[in-house]
Structure formats: C-alpha cells, structure tokens
C-alpha cells in the first residue's frame, strides 16, 4: 500500500479518537468524591478558558491535514498533522493545569450540592486527568506523522518541501487570528442561538425555544423588542440608502467637472467620514439642541429636533453627511476609469447630458454601483451608534434599532441566548436582502 | 461647433465649481461651529444663545470673543467636575490601540496577500475565497461569542481585547491582492534569478511597489480602530479603559450638566488624529483605491 493511503487511514483514526476522548475532573471535599467527564467537543461548546481556545485550531489543522492527504500532498499533510499533535499536547498540558475552569466548577459544585454539601469557593480544588483515549490520540497522531514523514536526506526533497510549505507560513498569522476571532465566533454564535445562555457560563441547548419566544410569544418583552428593533432597522435602511447612494454619486460627478480646488473639495466632502460616530453625534446633537443649540435658535423652531418624527429626519441627514465620503471616493475612482472617447462618441451621435449619464456613465459603473449598493445596505443594517447616541430608548423606543436590543439583552439582562437568536435573525435578514440585491442586479446586467 | 462645445463645458465647470463651493460651506458648518465654540468659555457659550436679537446677531455670536483654551485645559485637569473618565488615559488608549492595530494589519495582510498572489500555492485561491465568503456573514452573530472568547482569555478590561480581535480583515487582503496584480511578475522573476529568497522579494520588490494601497489600508485600519464604538463599550467596563470614541459618550454623561464647551473640545480632540493621517496619505488615496478591482470590476 502507498504511504499516503496509510497516512490517511491513520489520520482518520486520529480524528475519531480525538472526538471520542475527554478528560476526567475530580474534586474531593469532606470525604465525598465527585467526578465528571468532559469530552473535548463539549469543552469547545463551553469556550470556558484560554486552553479550550486551542481546540478549534486542532480541528482546523486536522481538517487541513485530511484535505492535503486526499489531494495527495503528503508533505503538507505531514505538517498539519504534526501541528495538530503539538497543539493537542499543549492543550492537554494547559487544560490539566487549570484548577478553576468555570464550566467544570459549575458542574462539580452542582454535584456537591445534590449531596447536600456546600463547598466554599476557596476550598474548591479540581484535579483534571486525561482519559487513556487521550494518550491513544497522541500516539495515533505521532504514527500518522511517522508514516508521512518526508525523506529529508536528499536536497531536492528538502527544497520542494520548503517550496510547498512556505506559503502557509505567510498566511499563518492572518489565518490564526481569523480562526480565533471570526470563524469560531460565527459558529459559536449560531450554536448559542439555540441555547439558554448567560454569556459567562456554559450554554444549555434548548432547541427552538428562543425563536418560539421572540417570534411567536405575543406579549413577551423580547417579542416586542425584536419586532420594534427590526422594524426600526428596516426603516433606517429604507430611509438612508437612497441618500447614501445618490448624494455621493452626484458629488463625485460634479467633482469631475471641477478643475480648480478639486483636491480641497474632495477632502471637505470626505472629512466627516474620518470622524467617529460619537464625535459626529456630539457635534450634531449640540448643533440642533433645543437649548443653546445653533440651528433651532437660528431658524426659530420650537419643537424638539431629536424626537419623532423629526428624529428620523435628523438620522437621515446625519448619516448621509457622515457616510458620504466612503462611497464618494469609490465613485470618483470608478468615474475616472471611464474612457473619455465613449463620451466623445456619444456627443458626436448627438447625445445630451442626461442621455450620456444613462447610456455611458451608468453602464460603465454597473459593477461599482452594485458593490456599493450591497455594502451600503449591509452597513446600514448593522447600525448601532447613531440611534443609540441620539435618543437611546426614549419615546418608547421609537428609534431603537435591533443592535441596541441585542447588546442590552445580552449584557444588561444576561439573556444572551435570546440575544443570539435576535442576532441570527438580523444576520439572516441581511444575507437574504444582499442575495436578492445581487440576483436582481445580475439579471439586469445580463439583459 | 467645436467652440460652442468647449464654451458649454466651461460654463458647466464654473457652475459646478460654484455650487460645490457653496455646498462645501454648508457641509462644514457643524464642524466649524463645534471648533469655534470649543474656544469659548462656558458662560460665553451660554450667553451667546440666550438673548436672541435677530439672525445676524446670532451668526455673529458663533465667533468666540477671544481664543480661549480653558475648556481644553480643564478637560485634562478635571477642574470643577467629579472626574470619573480621564480624557488623557482615553487618548493614550486610543493611540496604542489604533497604532498597534494598524501595524499588525499592514504586516499580516500584506504577507498573506503576497502568498496568495505570488507564491506557488495550489489551494491558495480556495482558502482565500473561503475566508472571503465567511466574512460576508454579518458581524451581529459573532459579537457575543467574541466577548466570551475575550472573557476566556482574561481580556475583559484589557487593552489586548481592543487590538487583536479586529486585525484579521479579509477585505484588506482583497485590496492588496488586486493592487499586486498590476505589478509585473517579471520583477519577481528577475529578483529570483539574482538569488533572492521569497521573503527578500516580498520585502524589497513587493512592499515598496504596493505603497499606495498600503497607505489606503493603513488609513482604513486606523480609522476603523479609532472610530470603533460598539466593541469597546462591550468589552471595557472601566471608564479609564475606554478609547476616545467610546469614552466620549461617558464624558457626555459627565459634562452634560453644565460644561458644554468641554464636550465640544473633547469632540475636536477626537477628530485630530484621523484627520492628520488622512492629510499624510491623501496623495496616494485615490490611486490606491482605484487600482483595486473591487472598484473596477
């Protein structure tokens, strides 16, 4: 048999053994011994300590090793197997050295309480030992490495090994951070939407309970919050997106005609995009404040600008002003890349300015417009800062958007499971809308 | 006929320039108002809006009687307010977070982009597009677990939580890759024939030639770090661990009672850093953006 096939088989055994193994946590108090077994997969679900954070990497490395062996890249497979073994050993050492892992502590403490014992936190000692399957896993991993070990005696193999492995070294830092801070949170976020969770402890799986509450339990606080928050978010997107597209496009097109002071004007219109939400909101709320603000006194208005319905107007003005720059520079560069001779040809055919816009500018910018349209809508769906800083939950949450409810449900009220479910619904809405946009525009560009 | 076209174009140019300059004035009013009023004393600020004698008086009242740095100084000394949030600590936090994050982003994303674009990497494209599609999943899902991860790492109320989680953006790699496509591969090969290693090619050939887009990525990364609002309020509980952006909301609570000019001054302070960075890389800005294919298609 080929060594590659053997290595693949051993790797599969390694993976299966990893999935099945776990650690035993034991604690003794007043001659009562309680113990629990925590499988590795269960500890990933709890994300309870720094040591546990190594586990996702082991899984990614295993997956990469398997893919490499299947693609007949034995050397790359060797590297990833070796990495997963090293990480696994590091995990075992770090995990067993941990004396106070929150999820283990909670489980063992509950077991003591069942027996009628109350153990003080400072008397609580946990001993963690790996099960025998853990050692088997390490052995299987080492065996996989041994079988797939490249022949390092010839210089050609060494050189080709270096060439094969080098790209991975370059992408490694980025992929590591990406795995830990983007991939794991996304998977975990989807999982916790189906759990009862207080954000600090282990989530408990409850199935569709959260979704039943927020989607169908009429009269429930969270039901009302989701509806109000989602509706306000959708309103925010609907009101702001037209201005977020048309104003930057108009400014970019006008700027193209300007020769003197072009750089200056561009900087002026880009300027607000450099500022933070808090700065922008501070400036505008003071500018339009009823007492001592400039605008209400200057225009002689007596109403409160930051109360509905005017608050929506303010949100649109402020958001258009603030986010204009980002899209404007993209439009500018896209406009600059349209060949001048197309305009000349159009003028020779007797096209007027409007016709040139519809038949030359827009088709040339179709890709840019699609891209900015989708990104603008997505960024508006994720709105948090402006409504939160402008009026928070005042006026019965007339401007409260879903991100505000998600954050406060999770961190103020400690109902993170519900918050995760809300977040998942928001994400689903965003993705569906983006997908519809892309589909419609693809169709348009084909016709 | 040619002449009339030229003349009409000139007319359009003049109209556009005038309209845009007028619009720019309106555009800048809130910023200018904040800057000018931050130089007033608090009593002067209140006085200028209490007796309303017609619009002209009102416009004149925008200008401070004299340039007064009092509100800036008392922000730092905490004079006359129960100081909970220190602006000097927030400024230091903001600078540490933004500068370190920008440097890390520049190093790791340019290295990744180099590997995907220029090295022999059979599965590179697959990996890249996989990462790219994962990032399209909206951030609302990941923000609560991200807190849990930082909690597990012991990073709640620790500045690490503001630096590391945000460094792995894929969009930046996308920009860098597209810019690298415009640099001829022959340059790499020439260097390789001269015996340069891949890292030497990255350092001496690629990095200098992608400078414009590196400046754009630096500006975006700095801006994102400096202006992030939601994440610092989640992961930092102590007022003195906030960045300037998230801390301004706390300052607002602290000074909102009667010290309005202090607040305006703090807003001005938070504008300075991104503005300076923009000024330094303005030269590269449009060029860097326009070469990336996210724009050109």
């Amino acid at each position: 048999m080929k060594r590659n096939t053997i290595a693949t088989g051993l790797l599969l055994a390694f993976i299966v053994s990893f999935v099945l193994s776990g650690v035993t946590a034991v604690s003794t108090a007043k001659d009562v011994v309680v113990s629990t077994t925590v499988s590795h997969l269960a500890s990933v679900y709890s994300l309870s300590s720094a040591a546990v954070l190594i586990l996702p990497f082991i899984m990614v490395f295993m997956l990469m090793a398997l893919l490499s062996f299947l693609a007949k890249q034995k050397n790359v497979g060797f590297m990833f197997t070796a990495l997963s073994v090293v990480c696994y050993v590091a995990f075992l050492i770090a995990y067993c050295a941990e004396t106070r892992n929150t999820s283990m502590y909670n489980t063992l403490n509950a077991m003591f309480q069942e027996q009628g014992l109350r153990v003080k936190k400072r008397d609580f000692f946990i001993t963690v030992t790996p099960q025998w399957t853990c050692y088997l896993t390490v052995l299987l991993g080492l065996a996989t490495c041994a079988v797939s070990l490249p022949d390092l005696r010839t210089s050609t193999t060494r050189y080709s090994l270096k060439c094969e492995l080098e790209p991975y070294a370059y992408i490694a830092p980025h992929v590591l951070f990406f795995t830990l801070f983007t991939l794991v949170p996304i998977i975990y976020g989807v999982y916790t939407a189906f759990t009862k969770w207080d954000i600090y402890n282990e989530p408990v799986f409850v199935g569709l309970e959260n979704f039943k509450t927020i989607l169908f339990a009429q009269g429930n606080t969270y039901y009302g919050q989701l509806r109000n928050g989602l509706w306000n978010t959708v309103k925010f997107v609907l009101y702001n997106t037209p201005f977020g597209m048309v104003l930057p496009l108009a400014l970019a097109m006008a700027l193209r005609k300007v020769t003197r002071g072009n750089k200056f004007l561009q900087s002026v219109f880009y300027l607000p995009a450099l500022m933070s939400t808090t700065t922008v909101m501070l400036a505008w709320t003071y500018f339009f404040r009823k007492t001592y603000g400039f605008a209400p006194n200057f225009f002689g208005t007596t109403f409160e600008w930051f109360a509905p319905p005017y608050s929506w107007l303010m949100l649109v003005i402020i958001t258009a002003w603030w986010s204009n720059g980002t899209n404007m520079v993209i439009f500018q560069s896209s406009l600059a890349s349209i060949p001048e001779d197309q305009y000349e040809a159009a003028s020779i055919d007797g096209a007027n300015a409007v016709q040139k816009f519809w038949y030359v500018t827009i088709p040339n910018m179709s890709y840019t417009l699609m891209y900015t349209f989708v990104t603008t809508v997505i960024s508006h769906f994720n709105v948090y800062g402006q409504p939160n800083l402008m009026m928070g939950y005042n006026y019965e949450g007339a401007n409260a958007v879903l991100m505000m409810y998600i954050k406060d449900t999770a961190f103020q009220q400690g109902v993170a499971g519900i918050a995760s479910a809300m977040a998942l619904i928001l994400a689903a809405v965003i993705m569906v809308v983006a997908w519809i946009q892309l589909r419609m525009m693809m169709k348009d560009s084909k016709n | 006929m040619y002449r009339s076209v030229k003349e009409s174009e000139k007319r359009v140019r003049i109209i556009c320039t005038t309209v845009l300059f007028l619009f720019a004035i309106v555009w800048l009013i809130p910023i200018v108002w904040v800057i000018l009023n931050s130089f007033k004393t608090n009593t002067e600020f209140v006085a200028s809006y209490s007796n309303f004698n017609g619009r002209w008086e009102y416009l004149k009242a925008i200008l401070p009687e004299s340039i007064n740095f009092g509100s800036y100084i008392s922000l730092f000394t905490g004079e006359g307010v129960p100081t909970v949030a220190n602006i000097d600590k927030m400024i230091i936090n903001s600078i540490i977070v933004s500068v370190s994050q920008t440097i890390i982003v520049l190093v790791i994303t340019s290295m990744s982009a180099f590997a995907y674009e220029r090295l022999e990497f059979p599965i590179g494209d697959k990996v890249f597009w996989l990462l790219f599609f994962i990032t399209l999943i909206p951030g609302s899902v990941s923000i609560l677990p991200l807190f849990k991860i930082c909690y597990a790492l012991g990073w709640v109320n620790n500045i690490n939580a503001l630096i590391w989680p945000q460094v792995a953006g894929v969009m930046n790699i996308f920009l860098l890759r597209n810019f690298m496509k415009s640099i001829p591969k022959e340059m790499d090969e020439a260097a390789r024939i001269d015996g340069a290693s891949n890292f030497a090619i990255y350092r001496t050939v690629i990095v200098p030639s992608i400078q414009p887009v590196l400046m754009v990525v630096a500006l975006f990364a700095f801006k994102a770090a400096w202006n992030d609002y939601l994440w610092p309020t989640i992961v930092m509980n102590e007022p003195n661990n906030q960045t300037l952006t998230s801390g301004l909301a706390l300052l607002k609570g602290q000074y909102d009672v009667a010290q309005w000019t202090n607040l305006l001054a703090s807003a001005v302070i938070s504008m300075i850093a991104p503005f300076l960075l923009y000024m330094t890389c303005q030269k590269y800005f449009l060029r860097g953006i326009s070469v990336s294919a996210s724009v050109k298609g």
Side-chain angles (χ1 to χ4, degrees):
Chain A
M1 258 206 290
K2 273 185 184 167
R3 283 172 70 178
N4 197 29
T5 329
I6 303 171
T8 318
L10 277 171
L11 182 74
L12 283 172
F14 174 51
I15 295 174
V16 171
S17 171
F18 168 80
V19 171
L20 292 178
S21 48
V23 294
T24 318
V26 184
S27 187
T28 317
K30 293 175 191 153
D31 300 328
V32 178
V33 183
V34 289
S35 75
T36 178
T37 313
V38 189
S39 76
H40 295 335
L41 288 184
S43 15
V44 182
Y45 283 138
S46 71
L47 271 192
S48 52
S49 65
V52 168
L53 292 174
I54 307 176
L55 283 172
F57 291 111
I58 301 176
M59 290 165 154
V60 169
F61 290 146
M62 282 174 169
L63 189 70
M64 294 297 289
L66 188 62
L67 289 177
S68 317
F69 281 133
L70 289 178
K72 301 267 186 297
Q73 286 199 302
K74 194 162 65 77
N75 297 341
V76 182
F78 164 75
M79 186 187 69
F80 280 114
T81 318
L83 274 174
S84 47
V85 173
V86 169
C87 284
Y88 186 58
V89 172
F91 161 74
L92 283 180
I93 293 170
Y95 204 48
C96 293
E98 253 175 23
T99 49
R100 186 152 293 148
N101 178 312
T102 26
S103 71
M104 282 179 190
Y105 171 78
N106 288 341
T107 323
L108 293 175
N109 203 17
M111 289 168 93
F112 274 127
Q113 278 169 8
E114 266 172 30
Q115 311 222 356
L117 273 178
R118 295 190 69 82
V119 185
K120 281 179 193 148
K121 205 161 186 176
R122 64 184 150 83
D123 296 331
F124 215 106
F125 293 106
I126 304 174
T127 339
V128 185
T129 38
Q131 286 178 324
W132 63 274
T133 39
C134 296
Y135 302 113
L136 179 69
T137 312
V138 175
L139 281 179
L140 282 169
L142 288 175
T144 320
C145 290
V147 170
S148 61
L149 186 70
D151 184 10
L152 293 171
R153 277 165 304 185
T154 54
S155 65
T156 36
T157 347
R158 278 209 298 273
Y159 180 74
S160 71
L161 187 68
K162 184 177 163 286
C163 288
E164 265 174 31
L165 298 185
E166 204 175 1
Y168 293 98
Y170 281 87
I171 65 166
H174 179 263
V175 173
L176 288 183
F177 286 120
F178 185 87
T179 310
L180 191 54
F181 296 121
T182 310
L183 185 62
V184 174
I186 286 174
I187 296 168
Y188 201 67
V190 173
Y191 166 68
T192 50
F194 301 94
T195 60
K196 192 173 181 310
W197 186 35
D198 68 346
I199 217 159
Y200 294 101
N201 288 315
E202 201 168 342
V204 182
F205 191 77
V206 292
L208 292 170
E209 207 65 28
N210 294 332
F211 291 96
K212 273 185 202 153
T213 313
I214 57 175
L215 288 175
F216 304 113
Q218 284 183 23
N220 190 300
T221 334
Y222 304 120
Y223 172 82
Q225 286 185 352
L226 177 80
R227 287 179 70 107
N228 185 38
L230 196 57
W231 176 230
N232 281 331
T233 310
V234 169
K235 272 205 263 186
F236 185 88
V237 174
L238 288 179
Y239 295 159
N240 279 294
T241 310
F243 294 96
M245 295 292 292
V246 173
L247 182 69
L249 184 60
L251 285 175
M253 287 183 58
L255 269 177
R256 213 167 114 81
K257 304 278 181 216
V258 174
T259 42
R260 293 188 104 174
N262 184 302
K263 273 269 153 62
F264 171 76
L265 286 170
Q266 188 217 319
S267 304
V268 165
F269 294 124
Y270 188 75
L271 186 65
L274 293 165
M275 294 157 57
S276 63
T277 343
T278 37
T279 319
V280 168
M281 293 314 292
L282 199 76
W284 280 85
T285 43
Y286 274 74
F287 193 68
F288 272 93
R289 215 178 137 106
K290 207 169 150 195
T291 41
Y292 311 129
F294 176 79
N297 286 316
F298 184 74
F299 296 120
T301 57
T302 48
F303 52 82
E304 179 68 72
W305 283 87
F306 296 103
Y310 300 102
S311 53
W312 280 112
L313 180 69
M314 292 313 298
L315 272 179
V316 169
I317 293 175
I318 295 170
T319 311
W321 183 77
W322 181 42
S323 59
N324 167 66
T326 322
N327 281 351
M328 190 189 73
V329 286
I330 296 176
F331 289 148
Q332 269 186 295
S333 58
S334 174
L335 279 171
S337 68
I338 300 174
E340 197 59 43
D341 49 358
Q342 290 196 13
Y343 285 108
E344 275 161 26
S347 341
I348 289 165
D349 290 345
N352 60 23
V354 180
Q355 283 167 330
K356 275 191 216 163
F357 175 74
W358 280 114
Y359 297 111
V360 182
T361 314
I362 293 292
N364 270 303
M365 285 179 76
S366 61
Y367 182 86
T368 311
L369 287 171
M370 183 166 87
Y371 168 82
T372 45
F373 187 35
V374 174
T375 51
T376 309
V377 167
I378 288 177
S379 74
H380 282 163
F381 261 114
N382 280 318
V383 62
Y384 169 76
Q386 298 101 296
N388 185 45
L389 290 163
M390 197 167 97
M391 39 185 283
Y393 296 104
N394 295 339
Y395 307 104
E396 293 167 346
N399 285 57
V401 292
L402 195 52
M403 270 317 270
M404 288 163 65
Y405 287 124
I406 290 172
K407 191 202 155 193
D408 289 343
T409 313
F411 293 101
Q412 248 96 60
Q413 300 164 37
V415 207
I418 298 265
S420 277
M422 287 181 178
L424 193 60
I425 289 175
L426 178 64
V429 170
I430 296 175
M431 292 187 77
V432 167
V433 169
W435 186 73
I436 292 171
Q437 280 178 304
L438 286 174
R439 280 296 294 269
M440 278 167 60
M441 295 190 147
M442 295 286 185
K443 233 184 223 167
D444 273 4
S445 59
K446 265 180 206 154
N447 290 347
Chain B
M1 189 204 159
Y2 183 69
R3 215 179 135 165
S4 77
V5 167
K6 232 183 166 183
E7 258 172 21
S8 80
E9 248 180 30
K10 199 178 163 192
R11 211 167 55 226
V12 169
R13 197 169 70 223
I14 290 168
I15 293 169
C16 278
T17 313
T18 329
V19 170
L20 280 186
F21 267 100
L22 289 176
F23 195 56
I25 293 170
V26 178
W27 195 258
L28 283 177
I29 284 177
I31 300 180
V32 172
W33 182 81
V34 168
I35 294 174
L36 288 177
N37 278 288
S38 71
F39 290 114
K40 287 179 181 172
T41 62
N42 211 31
T43 33
E44 194 190 339
F45 177 75
V46 174
S48 56
Y49 296 104
S50 30
N51 28 18
F52 183 64
N53 308 318
R55 298 217 159 107
W56 177 238
E57 287 293 311
Y58 215 68
L59 270 180
K60 271 202 295 193
I62 292 180
L63 282 176
E65 281 163 25
S66 62
I67 301 286
N68 186 324
F69 286 99
S71 47
Y72 289 88
I73 294 164
S74 66
L75 260 186
F76 288 95
T77 55
E79 209 174 289
V81 271
T83 318
V84 186
N86 289 321
I87 197 168
D88 44 350
K89 293 220 174 90
M90 289 174 188
I91 293 174
I92 292 169
N93 287 343
S94 268
I95 290 174
I96 294 173
V97 169
S98 315
V99 170
S100 50
Q101 198 172 310
T102 309
I103 292 169
I104 296 163
V105 164
L106 284 180
V107 172
I108 68 175
T109 53
S110 65
M111 273 169 57
S112 302
F114 173 66
Y116 290 126
E117 194 60 39
R118 291 302 171 102
L119 295 182
E120 290 275 321
F121 197 2
I123 62 162
D125 250 16
K126 278 181 205 144
V127 174
F128 176 75
W129 287 109
L130 185 69
L131 297 188
F132 189 83
F133 283 114
I134 291 172
T135 48
L136 292 183
I137 298 170
S140 61
V141 193
S142 60
I143 200 140
L144 304 179
L146 197 55
F147 175 82
K148 172 89 178 172
I149 289 175
C150 288
Y151 181 70
L153 286 167
W155 280 0
V156 173
N157 267 324
N158 185 324
I159 204 155
N160 280 319
L162 297 182
I163 300 173
W164 301 103
Q166 325 284 342
V167 295
V170 179
M171 209 55 216
N172 291 331
I173 302 186
F174 189 64
L175 288 176
L176 288 163
R177 272 191 80 169
N178 286 327
F179 199 92
M180 275 183 204
K181 283 194 179 109
S182 71
I183 297 157
K185 277 219 165 92
E186 286 77 27
M187 282 171 76
D188 296 21
E189 269 142 35
R192 199 160 280 139
I193 288 164
D194 289 346
S197 68
N198 281 334
F199 188 72
I201 293 171
Y202 163 75
R203 209 169 49 86
T204 55
V205 179
I206 297 293
V207 170
S209 37
I210 60 170
Q211 215 185 348
V213 74
L214 279 180
M215 296 298 264
V216 174
V217 169
L219 178 67
F220 285 170
F222 188 90
K223 203 167 74 116
W226 189 273
N227 290 346
D228 195 9
Y229 171 59
L230 179 60
W231 179 239
T233 56
I234 287 176
V235 87
M236 297 297 200
N237 313 324
E238 305 258 324
N240 287 335
N241 285 338
Q242 303 284 352
T243 61
L244 202 47
T245 299
S246 58
L248 272 188
L250 290 176
L251 287 175
K252 192 169 181 233
Q254 186 171 316
Y255 290 98
D256 210 17
V257 195
Q259 263 111 342
W260 295 284
T261 48
N262 289 53
L263 267 180
L264 298 178
S266 64
V268 174
I269 289 173
S270 78
M271 286 180 214
I272 295 172
F275 182 69
L276 286 180
L277 189 67
Y278 174 72
M279 288 315 251
T280 28
C281 55
Q282 197 205 12
K283 200 168 67 172
Y284 303 99
F285 195 57
L286 270 187
R287 205 182 124 214
I289 284 186
S290 64
V291 182
S292 53
S294 68
V295 176
K296 267 186 169 174

